[in-house]
Amino acid sequence: MFSNRERKRTRGFILIYVTFIVTLCIFIALNCFKLEVLKRENNLNMEKGVLKAECTQKVKEYIFTELDELLYKTVTNLTDDGLKEYLNSLSGPVVTYENSYVKYNKEENCFEVVYYVNSRFCREELYEYKVKNNSIFYNCIDCIFEEGGK
């Protein structure tokens, strides 16, 4: 049935198989390395996205902190009507920080917050306010961006 006769093999034939297998192993290893590099880049991009602060965030925090301090100190009757009466008596910006400011809009009974970043107009927001249990709550109702802004 089976014969044990030796087959005639040419020299270098096994070298072709070895070269092919080694090339395949290197190709697989490089693809695994490439996938790890892509994972790392994705993680770094996600970290940058999470840690990125909005350009107006610092200004917003300072402005609303100063606005709260001003309103809680000066308004004796902290209700919607008492607050509205006090704000109607003011003229011009209520609070300023760097070039940004908050002013009261009497017609719409809301605050207009205008943000300037690096001396350039960045954004304008409208905030309504409500007083509950001697606490003031603000709610953004409209946001206007600069042309070409975010």
Side-chain angles (χ1 to χ4, degrees):
M1 259 190 186
F2 294 104
S3 63
N4 283 338
R5 52 188 170 143
E6 290 186 29
R7 291 187 182 184
K8 189 175 184 183
R9 295 187 184 173
T10 58
R11 288 186 155 205
F13 190 66
I14 294 178
L15 186 60
I16 292 174
Y17 283 132
V18 171
T19 306
F20 177 71
I21 292 172
V22 168
T23 304
L24 185 63
C25 291
I26 290 175
F27 180 73
I28 291 171
L30 287 176
N31 278 334
C32 290
F33 181 72
K34 181 180 176 184
L35 288 175
E36 291 301 318
V37 168
L38 289 175
K39 281 184 190 177
R40 184 172 189 278
E41 284 180 12
N42 188 32
N43 287 341
L44 291 176
N45 288 338
M46 291 289 287
E47 181 182 9
K48 284 180 186 177
V50 167
L51 296 177
K52 181 179 178 185
E54 193 175 330
C55 61
T56 59
Q57 189 64 35
K58 176 184 173 186
V59 175
K60 183 185 292 187
E61 288 178 15
Y62 277 107
I63 281 181
F64 279 105
T65 301
E66 289 183 25
L67 181 64
D68 276 346
E69 287 177 2
L70 174 73
L71 295 178
Y72 284 118
K73 285 181 185 176
T74 56
V75 178
T76 55
N77 183 15
L78 199 57
T79 61
D80 283 330
D81 295 330
L83 190 58
K84 185 175 181 179
E85 182 180 310
Y86 171 73
L87 292 170
N88 282 327
S89 68
L90 297 175
S91 62
V94 179
V95 175
T96 59
Y97 176 76
E98 293 177 353
N99 292 334
S100 303
Y101 59 90
V102 176
K103 68 179 183 178
Y104 180 68
N105 187 338
K106 296 177 184 178
E107 293 84 31
E108 296 183 23
N109 189 28
C110 62
F111 291 106
E112 291 180 22
V113 183
V114 180
Y115 299 102
Y116 285 89
V117 176
N118 298 329
S119 300
R120 291 185 55 215
F121 174 75
C122 181
R123 171 187 310 185
E124 181 178 339
E125 296 176 340
L126 291 176
Y127 283 89
E128 66 182 2
Y129 64 91
K130 291 183 182 175
V131 179
K132 290 183 184 176
N133 300 330
N134 289 332
S135 297
I136 304 171
F137 297 97
Y138 305 99
N139 186 24
C140 184
I141 55 177
D142 191 19
C143 184
I144 302 168
F145 293 101
E146 175 186 15
E147 265 186 53
K150 296 182 196 176

PDB file of all heavy atoms in Angstrom, residues 13-32:
ATOM      1  N   PHE A  13      13.266  24.362  -0.997  1.00  0.00           N
ATOM      2  CA  PHE A  13      11.821  24.262  -1.003  1.00  0.00           C
ATOM      3  C   PHE A  13      11.256  24.513   0.395  1.00  0.00           C
ATOM      4  O   PHE A  13      10.257  25.195   0.554  1.00  0.00           O
ATOM      5  CB  PHE A  13      11.409  22.887  -1.531  1.00  0.00           C
ATOM      6  CG  PHE A  13       9.944  22.784  -1.803  1.00  0.00           C
ATOM      7  CD1 PHE A  13       9.368  23.545  -2.818  1.00  0.00           C
ATOM      8  CD2 PHE A  13       9.138  21.939  -1.057  1.00  0.00           C
ATOM      9  CE1 PHE A  13       8.022  23.453  -3.073  1.00  0.00           C
ATOM     10  CE2 PHE A  13       7.794  21.841  -1.315  1.00  0.00           C
ATOM     11  CZ  PHE A  13       7.226  22.597  -2.325  1.00  0.00           C
ATOM     12  N   ILE A  14      11.908  23.985   1.420  1.00  0.00           N
ATOM     13  CA  ILE A  14      11.484  24.206   2.800  1.00  0.00           C
ATOM     14  C   ILE A  14      11.728  25.662   3.189  1.00  0.00           C
ATOM     15  O   ILE A  14      10.961  26.244   3.948  1.00  0.00           O
ATOM     16  CB  ILE A  14      12.229  23.239   3.741  1.00  0.00           C
ATOM     17  CG1 ILE A  14      11.804  21.821   3.435  1.00  0.00           C
ATOM     18  CG2 ILE A  14      11.948  23.577   5.186  1.00  0.00           C
ATOM     19  CD1 ILE A  14      12.492  20.776   4.256  1.00  0.00           C
ATOM     20  N   LEU A  15      12.731  26.278   2.653  1.00  0.00           N
ATOM     21  CA  LEU A  15      13.025  27.682   2.938  1.00  0.00           C
ATOM     22  C   LEU A  15      11.879  28.580   2.497  1.00  0.00           C
ATOM     23  O   LEU A  15      11.562  29.572   3.176  1.00  0.00           O
ATOM     24  CB  LEU A  15      14.329  28.084   2.234  1.00  0.00           C
ATOM     25  CG  LEU A  15      14.853  29.477   2.547  1.00  0.00           C
ATOM     26  CD1 LEU A  15      15.138  29.593   4.040  1.00  0.00           C
ATOM     27  CD2 LEU A  15      16.098  29.756   1.751  1.00  0.00           C
ATOM     28  N   ILE A  16      11.197  28.246   1.429  1.00  0.00           N
ATOM     29  CA  ILE A  16      10.047  29.033   0.974  1.00  0.00           C
ATOM     30  C   ILE A  16       8.919  28.939   2.002  1.00  0.00           C
ATOM     31  O   ILE A  16       8.288  29.942   2.348  1.00  0.00           O
ATOM     32  CB  ILE A  16       9.582  28.549  -0.412  1.00  0.00           C
ATOM     33  CG1 ILE A  16      10.651  28.893  -1.442  1.00  0.00           C
ATOM     34  CG2 ILE A  16       8.257  29.202  -0.805  1.00  0.00           C
ATOM     35  CD1 ILE A  16      10.368  28.345  -2.814  1.00  0.00           C
ATOM     36  N   TYR A  17       8.660  27.723   2.533  1.00  0.00           N
ATOM     37  CA  TYR A  17       7.634  27.573   3.562  1.00  0.00           C
ATOM     38  C   TYR A  17       7.978  28.368   4.816  1.00  0.00           C
ATOM     39  O   TYR A  17       7.130  29.047   5.402  1.00  0.00           O
ATOM     40  CB  TYR A  17       7.453  26.095   3.942  1.00  0.00           C
ATOM     41  CG  TYR A  17       6.659  25.297   2.946  1.00  0.00           C
ATOM     42  CD1 TYR A  17       7.129  24.069   2.501  1.00  0.00           C
ATOM     43  CD2 TYR A  17       5.443  25.754   2.465  1.00  0.00           C
ATOM     44  CE1 TYR A  17       6.399  23.308   1.598  1.00  0.00           C
ATOM     45  CE2 TYR A  17       4.716  25.012   1.561  1.00  0.00           C
ATOM     46  CZ  TYR A  17       5.193  23.788   1.127  1.00  0.00           C
ATOM     47  OH  TYR A  17       4.475  23.043   0.245  1.00  0.00           O
ATOM     48  N   VAL A  18       9.206  28.282   5.242  1.00  0.00           N
ATOM     49  CA  VAL A  18       9.648  29.010   6.443  1.00  0.00           C
ATOM     50  C   VAL A  18       9.503  30.510   6.230  1.00  0.00           C
ATOM     51  O   VAL A  18       9.025  31.241   7.105  1.00  0.00           O
ATOM     52  CB  VAL A  18      11.094  28.619   6.818  1.00  0.00           C
ATOM     53  CG1 VAL A  18      11.628  29.531   7.915  1.00  0.00           C
ATOM     54  CG2 VAL A  18      11.159  27.167   7.253  1.00  0.00           C
ATOM     55  N   THR A  19       9.916  30.999   5.101  1.00  0.00           N
ATOM     56  CA  THR A  19       9.806  32.433   4.794  1.00  0.00           C
ATOM     57  C   THR A  19       8.346  32.859   4.796  1.00  0.00           C
ATOM     58  O   THR A  19       7.994  33.921   5.344  1.00  0.00           O
ATOM     59  CB  THR A  19      10.449  32.742   3.425  1.00  0.00           C
ATOM     60  OG1 THR A  19      11.786  32.254   3.409  1.00  0.00           O
ATOM     61  CG2 THR A  19      10.426  34.218   3.143  1.00  0.00           C
ATOM     62  N   PHE A  20       7.477  32.065   4.210  1.00  0.00           N
ATOM     63  CA  PHE A  20       6.051  32.384   4.176  1.00  0.00           C
ATOM     64  C   PHE A  20       5.468  32.417   5.592  1.00  0.00           C
ATOM     65  O   PHE A  20       4.730  33.342   5.947  1.00  0.00           O
ATOM     66  CB  PHE A  20       5.312  31.341   3.322  1.00  0.00           C
ATOM     67  CG  PHE A  20       3.836  31.559   3.283  1.00  0.00           C
ATOM     68  CD1 PHE A  20       3.288  32.637   2.596  1.00  0.00           C
ATOM     69  CD2 PHE A  20       2.975  30.701   3.977  1.00  0.00           C
ATOM     70  CE1 PHE A  20       1.925  32.835   2.573  1.00  0.00           C
ATOM     71  CE2 PHE A  20       1.621  30.901   3.963  1.00  0.00           C
ATOM     72  CZ  PHE A  20       1.086  31.968   3.252  1.00  0.00           C
ATOM     73  N   ILE A  21       5.791  31.448   6.430  1.00  0.00           N
ATOM     74  CA  ILE A  21       5.266  31.395   7.795  1.00  0.00           C
ATOM     75  C   ILE A  21       5.803  32.550   8.635  1.00  0.00           C
ATOM     76  O   ILE A  21       5.057  33.187   9.392  1.00  0.00           O
ATOM     77  CB  ILE A  21       5.588  30.030   8.433  1.00  0.00           C
ATOM     78  CG1 ILE A  21       4.791  28.930   7.727  1.00  0.00           C
ATOM     79  CG2 ILE A  21       5.281  30.036   9.930  1.00  0.00           C
ATOM     80  CD1 ILE A  21       5.163  27.533   8.150  1.00  0.00           C
ATOM     81  N   VAL A  22       7.082  32.867   8.493  1.00  0.00           N
ATOM     82  CA  VAL A  22       7.667  33.987   9.245  1.00  0.00           C
ATOM     83  C   VAL A  22       7.022  35.296   8.811  1.00  0.00           C
ATOM     84  O   VAL A  22       6.705  36.153   9.635  1.00  0.00           O
ATOM     85  CB  VAL A  22       9.200  34.007   9.072  1.00  0.00           C
ATOM     86  CG1 VAL A  22       9.783  35.307   9.592  1.00  0.00           C
ATOM     87  CG2 VAL A  22       9.819  32.825   9.796  1.00  0.00           C
ATOM     88  N   THR A  23       6.800  35.480   7.520  1.00  0.00           N
ATOM     89  CA  THR A  23       6.154  36.701   7.022  1.00  0.00           C
ATOM     90  C   THR A  23       4.743  36.815   7.570  1.00  0.00           C
ATOM     91  O   THR A  23       4.307  37.897   7.978  1.00  0.00           O
ATOM     92  CB  THR A  23       6.123  36.689   5.478  1.00  0.00           C
ATOM     93  OG1 THR A  23       7.450  36.526   4.981  1.00  0.00           O
ATOM     94  CG2 THR A  23       5.533  37.958   4.930  1.00  0.00           C
ATOM     95  N   LEU A  24       4.017  35.709   7.593  1.00  0.00           N
ATOM     96  CA  LEU A  24       2.667  35.703   8.136  1.00  0.00           C
ATOM     97  C   LEU A  24       2.673  36.066   9.619  1.00  0.00           C
ATOM     98  O   LEU A  24       1.841  36.870  10.075  1.00  0.00           O
ATOM     99  CB  LEU A  24       2.034  34.319   7.933  1.00  0.00           C
ATOM    100  CG  LEU A  24       0.572  34.177   8.330  1.00  0.00           C
ATOM    101  CD1 LEU A  24      -0.306  35.074   7.480  1.00  0.00           C
ATOM    102  CD2 LEU A  24       0.148  32.735   8.223  1.00  0.00           C
ATOM    103  N   CYS A  25       3.607  35.528  10.387  1.00  0.00           N
ATOM    104  CA  CYS A  25       3.707  35.853  11.821  1.00  0.00           C
ATOM    105  C   CYS A  25       4.035  37.322  12.040  1.00  0.00           C
ATOM    106  O   CYS A  25       3.459  37.974  12.933  1.00  0.00           O
ATOM    107  CB  CYS A  25       4.757  34.966  12.496  1.00  0.00           C
ATOM    108  SG  CYS A  25       4.279  33.240  12.619  1.00  0.00           S
ATOM    109  N   ILE A  26       4.943  37.871  11.265  1.00  0.00           N
ATOM    110  CA  ILE A  26       5.298  39.294  11.388  1.00  0.00           C
ATOM    111  C   ILE A  26       4.100  40.160  11.028  1.00  0.00           C
ATOM    112  O   ILE A  26       3.816  41.163  11.696  1.00  0.00           O
ATOM    113  CB  ILE A  26       6.528  39.617  10.520  1.00  0.00           C
ATOM    114  CG1 ILE A  26       7.772  38.964  11.128  1.00  0.00           C
ATOM    115  CG2 ILE A  26       6.728  41.126  10.390  1.00  0.00           C
ATOM    116  CD1 ILE A  26       9.015  39.111  10.280  1.00  0.00           C
ATOM    117  N   PHE A  27       3.379  39.797   9.980  1.00  0.00           N
ATOM    118  CA  PHE A  27       2.191  40.546   9.567  1.00  0.00           C
ATOM    119  C   PHE A  27       1.151  40.561  10.679  1.00  0.00           C
ATOM    120  O   PHE A  27       0.575  41.609  10.995  1.00  0.00           O
ATOM    121  CB  PHE A  27       1.626  39.928   8.281  1.00  0.00           C
ATOM    122  CG  PHE A  27       0.401  40.610   7.773  1.00  0.00           C
ATOM    123  CD1 PHE A  27       0.486  41.857   7.179  1.00  0.00           C
ATOM    124  CD2 PHE A  27      -0.845  40.003   7.893  1.00  0.00           C
ATOM    125  CE1 PHE A  27      -0.644  42.486   6.710  1.00  0.00           C
ATOM    126  CE2 PHE A  27      -1.976  40.632   7.429  1.00  0.00           C
ATOM    127  CZ  PHE A  27      -1.884  41.880   6.827  1.00  0.00           C
ATOM    128  N   ILE A  28       0.909  39.426  11.309  1.00  0.00           N
ATOM    129  CA  ILE A  28      -0.057  39.350  12.416  1.00  0.00           C
ATOM    130  C   ILE A  28       0.412  40.186  13.602  1.00  0.00           C
ATOM    131  O   ILE A  28      -0.368  40.919  14.220  1.00  0.00           O
ATOM    132  CB  ILE A  28      -0.292  37.878  12.820  1.00  0.00           C
ATOM    133  CG1 ILE A  28      -1.048  37.153  11.697  1.00  0.00           C
ATOM    134  CG2 ILE A  28      -1.061  37.779  14.135  1.00  0.00           C
ATOM    135  CD1 ILE A  28      -1.144  35.655  11.890  1.00  0.00           C
ATOM    136  N   ALA A  29       1.691  40.118  13.932  1.00  0.00           N
ATOM    137  CA  ALA A  29       2.230  40.895  15.061  1.00  0.00           C
ATOM    138  C   ALA A  29       2.116  42.390  14.798  1.00  0.00           C
ATOM    139  O   ALA A  29       1.754  43.172  15.696  1.00  0.00           O
ATOM    140  CB  ALA A  29       3.675  40.502  15.314  1.00  0.00           C
ATOM    141  N   LEU A  30       2.400  42.837  13.566  1.00  0.00           N
ATOM    142  CA  LEU A  30       2.296  44.265  13.242  1.00  0.00           C
ATOM    143  C   LEU A  30       0.845  44.741  13.301  1.00  0.00           C
ATOM    144  O   LEU A  30       0.576  45.866  13.752  1.00  0.00           O
ATOM    145  CB  LEU A  30       2.899  44.543  11.869  1.00  0.00           C
ATOM    146  CG  LEU A  30       4.425  44.482  11.796  1.00  0.00           C
ATOM    147  CD1 LEU A  30       4.895  44.685  10.355  1.00  0.00           C
ATOM    148  CD2 LEU A  30       5.038  45.532  12.701  1.00  0.00           C
ATOM    149  N   ASN A  31      -0.086  43.903  12.861  1.00  0.00           N
ATOM    150  CA  ASN A  31      -1.494  44.288  12.957  1.00  0.00           C
ATOM    151  C   ASN A  31      -1.948  44.393  14.407  1.00  0.00           C
ATOM    152  O   ASN A  31      -2.706  45.299  14.769  1.00  0.00           O
ATOM    153  CB  ASN A  31      -2.373  43.305  12.189  1.00  0.00           C
ATOM    154  CG  ASN A  31      -2.399  43.624  10.707  1.00  0.00           C
ATOM    155  OD1 ASN A  31      -2.200  44.765  10.315  1.00  0.00           O
ATOM    156  ND2 ASN A  31      -2.637  42.609   9.890  1.00  0.00           N
ATOM    157  N   CYS A  32      -1.491  43.483  15.255  1.00  0.00           N
ATOM    158  CA  CYS A  32      -1.813  43.572  16.693  1.00  0.00           C
ATOM    159  C   CYS A  32      -1.235  44.840  17.302  1.00  0.00           C
ATOM    160  O   CYS A  32      -1.902  45.527  18.089  1.00  0.00           O
ATOM    161  CB  CYS A  32      -1.282  42.348  17.432  1.00  0.00           C
ATOM    162  SG  CYS A  32      -2.167  40.839  17.046  1.00  0.00           S
TER     163      CYS A  32
END
